[in-house]
Amino acid sequence: MLEVGARMSEESLRETTPQVFLIARPSLDLDGMRGYLESVGGESWLDRRVDEAGGNPNPGEALVEFGGRLCYRSWEPGLNPNVRRIRTDQAEYFANILRSQHGSVLEHANYSFALRDCSRVFTHEIVRHRAGSAFSQESLRYVRLADIGFRVPPALEPVREQVISIVEQLEEFQLSAAQKLGIDAEGVPFHAKKEVTSALRRLAPIGLSTDIIWTANARTLRHVIEMRTAPGAEEELRLVFDRVAQIMLREAPGLFQDFTRQDDSSWVPEHHKV
């Protein structure tokens, strides 16, 4: 069996790149929607959206539009005497929602992302966006740091070799310390392993790669995309949210129709703080 130091000398740092996976989107119950509309008198709206989408309306967009039309009972002419004009085109309807900053209805549509191999620098910043979000992050109280992934940011490329050497030493310490403390010995209870694992994370680089699930509603997504792709945002966040923005423009184009990607990869909306 190789000693820890010997094994590490034959291995190199596992360099990583952040990955973004959309893992959940809204789901519609068309029967439930139809039941409500039958009692209100707006079935024609649902029929139109279902027909336009070939039987499968975009769930996030349909949910947001449903919430918006409910507020004004604007399903079809005649249901609300105060409403004389009914926008039937969905893109135009959403454009009006964005212009009028009626952003509360965007909060009904939630999307979940698994963010893979992001640094804990990244996760420390994203969890600040608490409103309209939910987070589940890999716990280093329970997950042993036997294999530290790390991404060298562009600003540190001139000292790349030093960075890699430091991180490799920290990884080697994690392995040798766990071995010296004997937490893998037969019969060591889980609570003892957890205590040592929790303590060892204090000697890990904040830039180590980790995973987090982030769920956010469309209103929050708009805000975070604009804020975290701006030129002054942290480099890794700009990289990740550029990808999130591209996913959301495909996923719910009507809700993000006013965003434009600039040459510097920032995403700028026509309507701010909707």
Side-chain angles (χ1 to χ4, degrees):
M1 179 177 178
L2 289 173
E3 294 295 328
V4 172
R7 185 171 70 82
M8 285 299 300
S9 67
E10 296 178 2
E11 297 178 357
S12 59
L13 175 69
R14 179 172 65 87
E15 293 197 56
T16 62
T17 300
Q19 299 179 71
V20 179
F21 303 92
L22 177 66
I23 62 172
R25 57 175 61 87
S27 176
L28 300 177
D29 187 325
L30 294 178
D31 291 337
M33 280 187 166
R34 189 171 299 280
Y36 171 83
L37 292 170
E38 286 174 352
S39 68
V40 175
E43 304 98 309
S44 64
W45 168 80
L46 184 58
D47 291 337
R48 181 165 56 252
R49 291 292 176 256
V50 171
D51 288 344
E52 290 171 350
N56 295 297
N58 181 297
E61 294 184 343
L63 190 57
V64 169
E65 186 178 3
F66 189 94
R69 291 193 182 278
L70 181 147
C71 291
Y72 298 97
R73 198 176 291 182
S74 59
W75 307 105
E76 56 191 39
L79 295 179
N80 178 0
N82 288 338
V83 177
R84 296 181 176 276
R85 178 188 175 194
I86 301 295
R87 292 180 175 84
T88 58
D89 181 81
Q90 191 179 57
E92 181 187 352
Y93 180 84
F94 288 138
N96 183 63
I97 289 286
L98 300 175
R99 283 194 302 269
S100 61
Q101 298 183 317
H102 189 18
S104 62
V105 296
L106 274 67
E107 296 176 11
H108 293 295
N110 287 275
Y111 298 83
S112 295
F113 296 86
L115 306 178
R116 168 75 171 147
D117 282 333
C118 296
S119 72
R120 292 183 81 86
V121 172
F122 174 95
T123 61
H124 284 11
E125 292 213 19
I126 189 178
V127 297
R128 297 174 185 173
H129 296 287
R130 297 178 297 278
S133 293
F135 305 96
S136 294
Q137 183 172 358
E138 182 179 54
S139 171
L140 297 189
R141 288 191 73 195
Y142 297 91
V143 178
R144 186 91 60 83
L145 289 174
D147 178 24
I148 295 179
F150 193 88
R151 171 178 173 269
V152 180
L156 296 183
E157 280 295 336
V159 291
R160 157 179 280 275
E161 295 307 316
Q162 290 173 266
V163 170
I164 291 176
S165 176
I166 291 169
V167 177
E168 286 179 341
Q169 289 177 51
L170 290 171
E171 182 178 66
E172 183 171 353
F173 168 77
Q174 294 288 326
L175 296 169
S176 61
Q179 185 181 68
K180 186 172 183 179
L181 294 168
I183 60 175
D184 287 326
E186 187 70 27
V188 176
F190 180 76
H191 70 84
K193 293 183 179 184
K194 183 179 74 171
E195 182 180 10
V196 172
T197 299
S198 180
L200 285 174
R201 63 180 167 168
R202 299 169 186 271
L203 279 300
I206 193 175
L208 68 84
S209 298
T210 190
D211 296 352
I212 189 169
I213 292 177
W214 176 50
T215 297
N217 65 54
R219 191 182 203 180
T220 295
L221 278 162
R222 287 180 56 92
H223 169 67
V224 178
I225 287 170
E226 178 183 7
M227 183 178 181
R228 295 302 191 172
T229 63
E234 206 275 338
E235 174 268 337
E236 185 182 8
L237 277 90
R238 297 196 73 208
L239 174 66
V240 171
F241 283 102
D242 179 36
R243 295 175 184 174
V244 171
Q246 293 178 52
I247 289 172
M248 290 312 304
L249 194 62
R250 295 193 300 269
E251 186 70 21
L255 307 183
F256 294 82
Q257 61 180 278
D258 60 322
F259 272 85
T260 302
R261 188 178 190 271
Q262 308 299 307
D263 292 339
D264 63 359
S265 301
S266 60
W267 289 78
V268 180
E270 180 182 354
H271 307 291
H272 305 271
K273 295 186 178 181
V274 169

